[in-house]
Amino acid sequence: MVGLVIVSHSRKAAEGIAEVAAEMGGVTRIEPVGGDGQGGFGTVPDDIEDALAAADDGEGVVVLVDLGSAVMNADVAIEMSDVDAVIADAPVLEGAVNAAVAATSPKATLDSVREQAEAARDVDKL
């Protein structure tokens, strides 16, 4: 099953987003990661790399990020990792929910899960 990693500058935000996505994603592996490792705000490539490994069961991982430097650090983590992973260009919460649901399909692929995450960009809230 394709796994998910939620990267936020706030550990609490990443955990909350993962919790919401898990409500819809059933058994999808979702790993939250965030913060600077010292209780502050930020992202750390090594922590993201660890989350990639924890979320992967061999079918790859879709990564959802909150802000600019999270993208940069996720890119670094993916380059350092042996995990097949992609970053979704999606709103982090809505994208995570879409991805979690998509990952439950027996036909899910890394590309199909990423595409469903990115489809959240076009969802109107009102």
Side-chain angles (χ1 to χ4, degrees):
M1 176 177 286
V2 175
L4 304 178
V5 169
I6 311 299
V7 181
S8 175
H9 283 71
S10 164
R11 175 84 184 157
K12 288 181 182 180
E15 290 170 347
I17 291 165
E19 181 180 11
V20 172
E23 283 294 314
M24 303 299 289
V27 297
T28 303
R29 290 182 183 194
I30 305 173
E31 291 293 324
V33 60
D36 67 359
Q38 300 174 16
F41 289 99
T43 58
V44 179
D46 289 339
D47 294 345
I48 299 168
E49 184 181 10
D50 291 344
L52 290 170
D56 186 39
D57 72 356
E59 294 191 37
V61 175
V62 173
V63 180
L64 293 111
V65 297
D66 64 356
L67 301 169
S69 64
V71 175
M72 177 186 66
N73 285 330
D75 273 334
V76 169
I78 290 169
E79 288 178 20
M80 294 187 315
S81 175
D82 292 331
V83 173
D84 187 12
V86 295
I87 299 173
D89 184 11
V92 65
L93 174 59
E94 294 89 340
V97 170
N98 276 13
V101 171
T104 64
S105 169
K107 296 180 181 181
T109 65
L110 194 58
D111 287 337
S112 71
V113 173
R114 186 196 74 237
E115 288 169 6
Q116 285 304 306
E118 292 176 349
R121 290 183 299 202
D122 300 324
V123 174
D124 293 329
K125 292 188 181 187
L126 298 180

